[in-house]
């Protein structure tokens, strides 16, 4: 049973250690979901796109409601328009998931490559520090992956988001299983 220290509002370390089985079970579930997603990449991409669309609609509606509560605020119109834009983008995502998948895949490719370029630059600027080479190496890898994504675009839009989702689920699952095993060994 998890206890919360009422004076600080934190979960006690002993309670976390006794929850090792939950970490293990959650990790196993993530791994299974990741494997299922990896066997149905198109479906996983569609689910990802619909999830993002639903998130945009919910966020937009909440922002519109919030803006209506602040009608006298000087930023009211911009806040309202921003919320409406979120809702419209979410609706477009639902009505044309192929377009949304293509746009999201392009953004993923560009941001991955840009992230890699930034790490190369940061690593090169830290040459006097230990480990700078690892930063540069990870930057080169990210840049290469981003460029591979970009070269395959828009064809890879049908499966790439599903692949990223499945890999993420599997890695998170492995991390949770590892945490559960480590916590079990601490008991």
């Amino acid at each position: 049973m998890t206890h919360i220290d009422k004076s600080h509002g934190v979960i006690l370390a002993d309670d976390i250690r006794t929850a090792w089985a939950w970490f293990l079970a959650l990790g196993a579930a993530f791994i299974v979901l990741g494997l299922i997603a990896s066997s149905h990449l198109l479906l996983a991409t569609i689910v990802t796109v619909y999830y993002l669309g639903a998130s945009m609609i919910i966020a937009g509606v909440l922002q519109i409601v919030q803006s209506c509560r602040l009608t006298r605020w000087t930023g009211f119109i911009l806040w309202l328009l921003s919320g409406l834009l979120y809702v419209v983008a979410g609706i477009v995502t639902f009505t044309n998931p192929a377009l949304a998948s293509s746009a999201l895949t392009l953004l993923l490719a560009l941001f991955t490559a840009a992230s890699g370029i930034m790490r190369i630059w940061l690593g090169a600027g830290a040459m006097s520090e230990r480990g700078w080479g690892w930063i540069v190496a990870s930057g080169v890898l990210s840049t290469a992956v981003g460029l591979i994504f970009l070269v395959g675009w828009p064809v890879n839009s049908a499966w790439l988001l599903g692949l990223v989702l499945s890999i993420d689920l599997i890695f998170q699952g492995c991390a949770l299983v590892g945490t559960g095993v480590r916590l079990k060994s601490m008991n």
Side-chain angles (χ1 to χ4, degrees):
M1 186 161 146
T2 302
H3 299 284
I4 296 182
D5 179 356
K6 303 260 194 262
S7 62
H8 295 41
V10 296
I11 298 174
L12 301 175
D14 289 338
D15 294 329
I16 292 174
R17 276 191 228 107
T18 60
W20 67 268
W22 287 104
F23 281 96
L24 202 62
L26 185 61
F30 272 46
I31 291 169
V32 168
L33 289 171
L35 291 172
I36 291 169
S38 70
S39 67
H40 303 287
L41 293 178
L42 176 60
L43 181 60
T45 295
I46 292 168
V47 168
T48 301
V49 169
Y50 283 149
Y51 171 78
L52 289 172
S55 297
M56 286 189 286
I57 291 170
I58 292 168
V61 167
L62 292 174
Q63 191 166 339
I64 291 167
V65 169
Q66 178 65 10
S67 71
C68 290
R69 296 180 67 227
L70 304 170
T71 55
R72 287 188 236 156
W73 179 42
T74 57
F76 160 74
I77 295 294
L78 290 176
W79 197 257
L80 178 66
L81 290 175
S82 177
L84 289 171
L85 185 61
Y86 260 115
V87 170
V88 168
I91 291 170
V92 168
T93 299
F94 273 97
T95 58
N96 195 343
L99 174 65
S101 174
S102 185
L104 290 168
T105 301
L106 179 60
L107 287 174
L108 176 66
L110 293 172
F111 285 136
T112 302
S115 169
I117 291 167
M118 290 300 296
R119 273 185 269 150
I120 292 169
W121 183 49
L122 289 170
M127 290 174 113
S128 62
E129 303 294 325
R130 287 180 54 139
W132 70 271
W134 289 106
I135 297 170
V136 171
S138 78
V140 168
L141 181 63
S142 290
T143 302
V145 167
L147 292 175
I148 290 168
F149 290 172
L150 200 53
V151 168
W153 185 82
V155 175
N156 59 6
S157 298
W159 55 267
L160 186 60
L161 296 175
L163 178 65
V164 170
L165 172 68
S166 65
I167 291 171
D168 182 59
L169 286 169
I170 291 168
F171 272 85
Q172 282 192 61
C174 290
L176 288 166
V177 166
T179 301
V181 168
R182 176 77 174 131
L183 291 172
K184 170 89 169 112
S185 70
M186 293 171 69
N187 283 333

